[in-house]
Amino acid sequence: MLNRILPLYSWDNGAFVMIVIFGLVILGLVGAVMIMASSSKNKKD
């Protein structure tokens, strides 16, 4: 019964650090897409 009450994550095993790293990776990917999108408009072929 106790296993049903416990959450699926624990803040003791570095979950907060993993959330921060995941957020930074997402921001990096969004930034890279924005840079590529803005640089494609500047090219005159």
Side-chain angles (χ1 to χ4, degrees), residues 3-18:
N3 290 337
R4 292 183 183 175
I5 297 172
L6 292 175
L8 295 175
Y9 61 89
S10 174
W11 292 110
D12 295 334
N13 63 357
F16 181 74
V17 174
M18 293 304 291

Side-chain angles (χ1 to χ4, degrees), residues 2-43:
L2 186 61
N3 290 337
R4 292 183 183 175
I5 297 172
L6 292 175
L8 295 175
Y9 61 89
S10 174
W11 292 110
D12 295 334
N13 63 357
F16 181 74
V17 174
M18 293 304 291
I19 290 171
V20 169
I21 292 172
F22 181 72
L24 291 174
V25 168
I26 294 299
L27 287 175
L29 289 173
V30 169
V33 169
M34 295 297 240
I35 289 171
M36 286 190 288
S38 65
S39 67
S40 67
K41 284 191 278 185
N42 294 336
K43 290 182 180 177

